[in-house]
Amino acid sequence: MSERACAYCQLPISGRSDKKFCDDQCRSAYGAKYRRAALDPVRRINAVLKRNREILLALNPSGKTVTSKSELVWRGFDFAYHTSIYQTRSGSTYHYCYDIGYLVLGAERVLVVRSESGIKADQDVGTGYSG
């Protein structure tokens, strides 16, 4: 019979033939390591979304303002990440980072708005959810 090793610490284990870990600490540490690895992409995306929201909020203390794309980029804003999209009847497309949105007005200008109540689910065309 070959000696089995703990899946976490690689020490020899004894006992039941289907045992994978030498003790509860190794079993718990092994599970935490793989759960953490699975959540890393989500954490990275949430960090970008949070940074985007903080940048928009810092540039828009009054609720509605116009700024430049270069200012947003200089502060670290990433236009590829947003939580939702709202399209008006006139065809304007607002991108939101939670409750703070922006509308690209041209090559360099961006309108930043703050939604008092957030976007209603039936208005959100970014997720395909129609409420």
Side-chain angles (χ1 to χ4, degrees):
M1 184 169 143
S2 67
E3 196 166 299
R4 295 170 292 131
C6 174
Y8 184 72
C9 69
Q10 305 306 314
L11 291 175
I13 57 175
S14 61
R16 294 183 0 203
S17 63
D18 62 344
K19 192 173 179 182
K20 295 180 184 177
F21 305 99
C22 58
D23 59 20
D24 284 338
Q25 285 180 322
C26 282
R27 181 181 51 80
S28 180
Y30 181 87
K33 176 182 173 184
Y34 286 97
R35 280 190 303 275
R36 186 173 39 251
L39 290 177
D40 279 346
V42 174
R43 285 190 186 111
R44 282 192 299 274
I45 291 169
N46 283 338
V48 173
L49 289 170
K50 182 180 176 189
R51 185 179 63 236
N52 278 357
R53 183 184 183 277
E54 288 171 355
I55 292 167
L56 292 172
L57 191 58
L59 293 172
N60 185 22
S62 64
K64 189 175 188 179
T65 191
V66 175
T67 189
S68 67
K69 278 186 181 179
S70 58
E71 175 71 16
L72 290 170
V73 171
W74 180 81
R75 291 176 180 247
F77 192 85
D78 189 337
F79 285 92
Y81 290 87
H82 50 272
T83 56
S84 59
I85 297 172
Y86 172 68
Q87 192 159 12
T88 65
R89 290 183 185 163
S90 63
S92 299
T93 302
Y94 287 82
H95 294 83
Y96 277 84
C97 290
Y98 303 105
D99 61 332
I100 312 291
Y102 65 92
L103 171 66
V104 177
L105 297 173
E108 185 57 26
R109 293 180 35 216
V110 177
L111 171 68
V112 181
V113 296
R114 184 170 190 170
S115 174
E116 293 300 319
S117 60
I119 301 175
K120 295 177 183 164
D122 61 343
Q123 297 172 328
D124 184 1
V125 296
T127 62
Y129 179 72
S130 60

